[in-house]
Amino acid sequence: WIAALPNNADPPAVRFAAGATTPTMVNNGTISAASATDAADQITAVRIEAGANVASFTNDGVIAATAGGGKANTTAIADLSGSLTSITNTRSIQANVSANAAGDAITGKATAIDVSANTSGVTFTQKGIASTPTTADPDTDGDGVTDSREPSTFGDIKLGSGADVLDIQNGVVQGNIDFGAGADRLSITGGAVVRGAITNTDGLLDIDISKGTLDARQSGVTTISNLNLGADGDLIVTIDPAAGGNSGFKVDGVANIANGGGLGGALHS
């Protein structure tokens, strides 16, 4: 267990300073940064500084950044070096900002993964570890991963200008995803659920929902290259009658919707 409990400062729980080099980091325990600060501070669990070099990161434990004052920004994994090209999550990555005791509006941002400094491309894979269901720990969605072992990512994901891949095979990813630039790909399989606003800057994004759900919550239209919706896939877009604008996706290339694929709208006002 590695924990940082800052008051108003910004010491991450794990920090790779400039000059530090390792081919991979593996977390099998808990890395946590938490604060109740009322200031607009930065709370980070894992930070790779500019000038460091960490090529891959595997998480089979818990990485969490939380703040309780409503104003701080939290980040579970932040790579400022641009060196991180592979992230695999088999358990839990989470960032959270909650309100202060007075219940004031939350202004802080919760970011699970920030690799926006990367220019070569990042592959983020989320997958569960196959396990045998029991009465106490069933496999509710029938994906071969019991409920207690379903992986999760909570918080925004910020990608850079390279060709990025989000390969979501199991569990839940909840947070806004900014693909930045580059020829990117979002793949959803294994009954996984991805929920949040999907944006990118250049329209070069392929989305493949073979088996699972994409609950796309952007308020505007996101231009993408191609869309594949499989027979066991569901695509939900946000509809806001009060705003009166369009939302969802504009597909510049091929849109393939298999027989049985689900299309839906979620009302928001």
Side-chain angles (χ1 to χ4, degrees), residues 29-78:
T30 297
I31 300 174
S32 174
S35 176
T37 177
D38 286 327
D41 295 317
Q42 174 65 50
I43 309 301
T44 305
V46 178
R47 185 166 67 210
I48 304 169
E49 302 283 8
N53 192 322
V54 181
S56 71
F57 195 113
T58 297
N59 176 55
D60 189 38
V62 176
I63 301 175
T66 60
K71 296 181 180 180
N73 296 317
T74 61
T75 305
I77 300 174

Side-chain angles (χ1 to χ4, degrees), residues 139-159:
D139 178 11
T140 302
D141 60 5
D143 63 351
V145 180
T146 59
D147 293 357
S148 69
R149 288 290 306 188
E150 290 284 358
S152 61
T153 300
F154 289 95
D156 295 346
I157 297 176
K158 300 177 181 179
L159 301 165

